[in-house]
Amino acid sequence: MIGMRVLVVGQGGREHAIVEALHRAEDSPQIFVAPGNPGMEPLAERIPVAPDDVESIVGWSKKNEIDFVVVGPEVALAAGLADALRAVGIATLGPGAAAARLESSKRYTKDLLTRLGLPTAPYRVATSADEADALLATVTYPIVLKADGLAAGKGVVIAENADEARATVDAWMRDGALGPAGETIVIEDFIRGEEASVLVLTDGQRWMLFPPARDHKRIGEGDTGPNTGGMGACAPARLPSEADAIAFGKRIVDPILRTLREENTPYRGILYLGLMLTSEGPQVLEFNARFGDPEAQVVLPLLEEDALPLLWNAALGRLPADRHATFLKYRGAAVCVVLASRGYPARPATGDDIEGLEGPWQHGIHLFHAGIDKHMGRWVTSGGRVLGVTARGVNLEEAREAAYAATSRIYFAGMQYRRDIALTSEQVGRTDP
Ligand code: GLY
């Protein structure tokens, strides 16, 4: 594998974390990223192609003799990028479009989970606004509304009452705010518990787990305000335990992978299990067809083994048999604090100068660039989630302290971040970072 040419597709903090993990590989691969961002330039050569421009990525990869592609974002998977790359003989980590429906169609996933008798909240499906209104008259609030299709993190609303639910139906189904993604919706019972993200590396049959992670999705401390793409993460999460995570894999991942193999749409890539841990056991909230973001920014820095051969072998359908249903080797804990621009998530501002990115940084600090650009030598904001500040430590407390200490050195106008990343709900309000 010496001299391997690897292309990472995507441009955010997740892809920066993937690039960094590959850069640590023993065999020193040559790394390219399409399109990447300026923060990745020390580690990877940037290719100016959009992640869902399938034809250009395949053409460029062939011409440039790429050996291996790791696909970051769901839009590229849903567009069939992994299918197209495999069709020309390029090993690719990421499911084909049919298997990626686990993320790109909430309805497909709920139907599949139900068919397999796997634990998930009761739901109904509406394919018109009138049908949704009629269903919403019969439910108990709060209720969860999910757009069927991909909606860039904007497709889930927890409606506290009928007015909020109807406003969402109006926006998605009558006004077309999400385009075709919102033409069908899933209306799901709200379940309480502790959320966990379990990221699974699979070759379609065998699988291995990254340390369980926890994402903080709402913009405000104490899990208040609108949903975002994720305002921070930690790993290993306090729950589930390693033994429970392996048990969930056997209960949930095995039947899903088996079904996809039987349907001739094997799943090779990262399968993200979004779980709600309840007193009655885990419930599947969602699947994603890729690394979570910001979860990737905590699980990848924790790895104590070379990620490249494992990702490569998963892509080729040959994860080692003796590693099936085990964890990738990791050590310690990591906390990622996401710095978001003013106005995020509704109307993120861009173009604000960012100060304090220069090091030196203490060992174990990683700055994963997302919505950042460079203009005339100055770093400026260019998106909603600007930067993930990750710190590693021997435990969550130490990692958390280091992540907030690093965060305090960075500034841009209107910078928003949550002060309660990695705290349990019981701890929120009692600790002042
Ligand atoms: N952190 C949630 C996601 O990646 O979808």
Side-chain angles (χ1 to χ4, degrees):
M1 302 213 305
I2 290 172
M4 185 185 264
R5 294 164 67 80
V6 184
L7 172 67
V8 175
V9 175
Q11 65 197 110
R14 165 183 50 214
E15 288 76 22
H16 197 171
I18 296 170
V19 164
E20 200 191 74
L22 295 173
H23 184 73
R24 293 197 301 268
E26 203 181 314
D27 283 344
S28 308
Q30 192 170 350
I31 306 173
F32 303 86
V33 58
N37 67 49
M40 304 181 196
E41 283 170 8
L43 307 180
E45 184 178 324
R46 294 177 63 201
I47 311 302
V49 182
D52 59 351
D53 183 347
V54 173
E55 201 180 314
S56 299
I57 291 182
V58 173
W60 184 89
S61 300
K62 270 171 54 182
K63 187 163 161 229
N64 290 277
E65 299 181 336
I66 292 299
D67 301 298
F68 181 34
V69 178
V70 179
V71 184
E74 62 276 17
V75 283
L77 297 163
L81 179 60
D83 303 290
L85 287 162
R86 282 194 276 265
V88 296
I90 298 176
T92 303
L93 189 75
R101 279 182 301 166
L102 288 178
E103 175 163 8
S104 64
S105 172
K106 306 295 174 275
R107 177 187 196 166
Y108 166 81
T109 298
K110 293 294 286 191
D111 290 349
L112 179 63
L113 288 165
T114 307
R115 184 151 57 89
L116 296 176
L118 297 175
T120 193
Y123 70 105
R124 310 102 182 124
V125 174
T127 55
S128 71
D130 290 346
E131 196 183 352
D133 284 343
L135 286 169
L136 289 171
T138 66
V139 301
T140 307
Y141 290 89
I143 196 90
V144 183
L145 303 178
K146 292 182 175 173
D148 178 52
L150 296 180
K154 299 200 174 88
V156 179
V157 166
I158 299 166
E160 300 291 343
N161 52 50
D163 286 346
E164 283 180 22
R166 277 196 295 265
T168 303
V169 168
D170 284 346
W172 291 356
M173 305 188 86
R174 293 197 167 87
D175 301 340
L178 303 179
E183 284 170 4
T184 294
I185 67 168
V186 171
I187 301 171
E188 186 178 277
D189 286 6
F190 178 79
I191 43 177
R192 289 174 204 282
E194 176 115 2
E195 272 193 58
S197 311
V198 177
L199 273 56
V200 182
L201 172 68
T202 179
D203 65 3
Q205 178 161 10
R206 301 183 183 119
W207 50 265
M208 297 175 66
L209 299 184
F210 289 89
R214 177 169 167 219
D215 178 19
H216 296 259
K217 288 204 175 73
R218 304 276 198 107
I219 187 77
E221 279 143 35
D223 290 328
T224 53
N227 258 342
T228 70
M231 291 297 291
C234 63
R238 291 180 173 87
L239 290 173
S241 67
E242 287 199 351
D244 282 348
I246 296 286
F248 300 162
K250 290 180 178 165
R251 177 159 178 215
I252 296 164
V253 177
D254 276 336
I256 294 282
L257 295 181
R258 189 178 319 115
T259 304
L260 293 175
R261 286 197 306 277
E262 285 164 4
E263 291 178 356
N264 258 329
T265 56
Y267 192 108
R268 289 182 182 168
I270 306 295
L271 178 60
Y272 169 128
L273 273 59
L275 300 175
M276 184 67 86
L277 309 176
T278 75
S279 48
E280 278 93 53
Q283 299 278 327
V284 179
L285 291 179
E286 63 175 351
F287 290 123
N288 291 319
R290 37 129 188 122
F291 278 111
D293 193 1
E295 289 93 331
Q297 300 180 49
V298 286
V299 300
L300 288 167
L302 286 182
L303 293 185
E304 280 285 294
E305 64 181 319
D306 194 336
L308 179 57
L310 287 171
L311 302 188
W312 165 251
N313 281 316
L316 294 180
R318 56 177 201 209
L319 273 181
D322 61 351
R323 302 290 307 271
H324 173 60
T326 64
F327 277 85
L328 284 95
K329 295 192 182 98
Y330 69 95
R331 190 161 58 132
V335 170
C336 172
V337 178
V338 169
L339 311 186
S341 59
R342 68 195 145 88
Y344 180 74
R347 276 174 298 282
T350 58
D352 289 309
D353 282 334
I354 307 171
E355 291 164 21
L357 292 184
E358 302 74 28
W361 296 96
Q362 79 186 60
H363 181 70
I365 299 291
H366 306 250
L367 300 187
F368 293 122
H369 289 220
I372 299 194
D373 214 342
K374 209 170 190 182
H375 281 312
M376 315 234 277
R378 292 187 353 252
W379 295 104
V380 295
T381 61
S382 66
R385 288 191 294 173
V386 174
L387 187 72
V389 180
T390 293
R392 284 181 287 132
V394 291
N395 54 35
L396 281 179
E397 288 68 32
E398 191 184 294
R400 185 170 183 281
E401 202 170 301
Y404 280 107
T407 295
S408 71
R409 290 174 49 182
I410 299 169
Y411 171 81
F412 51 89
M415 179 171 108
Q416 308 186 64
Y417 66 94
R418 280 178 62 164
R419 273 90 176 155
D420 62 350
I421 303 303
L423 292 184
T424 62
S425 42
E426 291 76 41
Q427 289 170 306
V428 172
R430 286 199 277 115
T431 306
D432 190 14

